Amino acid sequence: MGAFSDNLAAFRQQAGLTQEELANQIGITRATYIKLERGLKSPTLDQINQLAKCLDAGVDYLIGSKAIDGKKLPKEAVELAANTNQKNRKSTTKVSPGKLEAVLLYVLGKVGSQPNIGQTVIYKILYFIDFDFYEKHDRPITGLSYYHNHFGPTPGATFDQLTKSLIDAGKLQIVKTKFHNKPQTRYLANAGPDLASLTGEELIHIDEVLGRLSHKTASQISDYAHRDTPWVATEPGQRINYQLSKYRTDLTSVMPPEDEL
């Protein structure tokens, strides 16, 4: 389902309404409403406004991926995301080419042989390595910029430049294959990482992320990323601000609850 249908279902459940009750409130049949909630039919502008009013949800939250499991994002997170991509606004982090190469080759050495580890999963693993570390330590490991893509967070051009240089150096190869009969792009490491550029703390963190996420398929890890505040708060195509990791919900936060601090 898309953002609208996902949010519609979540807000309806939060409001304690059945599909029939909400359908009656906006003057459509239950069958028509079900199509809206399942993403099989696009709503009219009037229906969107009526639904937002009945569910006490802002239109932006209902149609624009501005909610997680029916809960509105903090206003500060939405504003931070909106201000991140103003004209001439540059990333506040710098990419460390050495660290980026080491992280990629280390990840591939650890889990690259698993059949589920294609490009989509690699993208998300790198994202969570950086954003989880930022949430805990106020800095990323690689410094890559990530963008709001339909399939989840996607690294920027710097990652493509790195992979090209690794291929040219004979350290990496990219192959096209299939996983569950779907096309898959795989990264295969021909060299090990230079771990001198990574601290023990960073390696422990990377191992934790791999242990938590490397078993997921592309669909599963994308669904997980779609419920992460930084991605949700950011508009499609825009850069995701690392500071948004500070507004995560319990679902994706890697910080212990306040009462355990």
Side-chain angles (χ1 to χ4, degrees):
M1 293 190 295
F4 169 76
S5 52
D6 285 338
N7 291 341
L8 177 59
F11 276 120
R12 176 182 62 77
Q13 292 164 5
Q14 185 183 44
L17 296 171
T18 66
Q19 293 174 331
E20 185 170 7
E21 288 171 338
L22 187 51
N24 290 336
Q25 288 189 30
I26 66 170
I28 61 175
T29 65
R30 179 172 178 269
T32 297
Y33 176 82
I34 289 175
K35 289 181 180 180
L36 295 176
E37 192 166 285
R38 292 180 178 176
L40 301 176
K41 180 180 176 63
S42 298
T44 65
L45 180 59
D46 184 56
Q47 288 171 343
I48 291 173
N49 289 327
Q50 289 186 69
L51 286 166
K53 183 177 180 180
C54 292
L55 296 171
D56 191 26
V59 170
D60 287 344
Y61 285 93
L62 191 58
I63 68 173
S65 300
K66 294 294 188 264
I68 300 175
D69 294 341
K71 297 181 179 179
K72 295 180 180 180
L73 297 183
K75 180 181 178 182
E76 295 83 0
V78 177
E79 292 177 346
L80 175 60
N83 291 333
T84 296
N85 291 282
Q86 291 176 345
K87 189 175 182 180
N88 297 325
R89 185 71 177 261
K90 296 182 179 180
S91 175
T92 56
T93 63
K94 289 186 176 181
V95 178
S96 170
K99 280 184 177 289
L100 178 55
E101 176 180 332
V103 170
L104 177 60
L105 294 179
Y106 182 78
V107 168
L108 293 176
K110 283 278 188 174
V111 301
S113 62
Q114 295 176 192
N116 63 303
I117 303 294
Q119 184 180 69
T120 297
V121 177
I122 288 295
Y123 283 173
K124 307 305 176 286
I125 284 176
L126 292 174
Y127 165 81
F128 281 108
I129 284 173
D130 275 328
F131 273 74
D132 289 0
F133 200 79
Y134 193 98
E135 184 185 6
K136 291 188 290 187
H137 302 290
D138 296 319
R139 66 176 179 86
I141 294 180
T142 75
L144 266 177
S145 290
Y146 298 86
Y147 295 82
H148 178 123
N149 181 283
H150 174 72
F151 296 105
T154 302
T158 301
F159 180 79
D160 294 332
Q161 294 166 4
L162 170 73
T163 56
K164 184 180 184 303
S165 68
L166 291 178
I167 291 171
D168 292 342
K171 296 181 179 181
L172 182 75
Q173 59 179 312
I174 296 178
V175 299
K176 302 290 184 179
T177 183
K178 286 189 176 182
F179 180 65
H180 290 172
N181 292 320
K182 293 183 178 180
Q184 183 189 60
T185 299
R186 292 179 63 82
Y187 296 95
L188 304 178
N190 295 329
D194 178 7
L195 297 182
S197 62
L198 298 172
T199 67
E201 182 179 51
E202 290 169 340
L203 286 170
I204 290 172
H205 171 79
I206 294 169
D207 285 340
E208 187 280 327
V209 173
L210 293 178
R212 182 163 50 91
L213 300 176
S214 65
H215 66 284
K216 293 183 180 292
T217 65
S219 177
Q220 290 170 338
I221 200 169
S222 292
D223 287 344
Y224 181 67
H226 286 176
R227 299 170 74 186
D228 191 35
T229 299
W231 182 87
V232 174
T234 304
E235 294 296 328
Q238 300 301 310
R239 179 172 54 82
I240 304 173
N241 192 316
Y242 275 106
Q243 294 179 39
L244 289 168
S245 63
K246 303 297 185 178
Y247 296 94
R248 282 172 158 172
T249 67
D250 291 341
L251 177 70
T252 57
S253 175
V254 293
M255 295 293 287
E258 290 185 5
D259 57 1
E260 295 182 14
L261 294 176

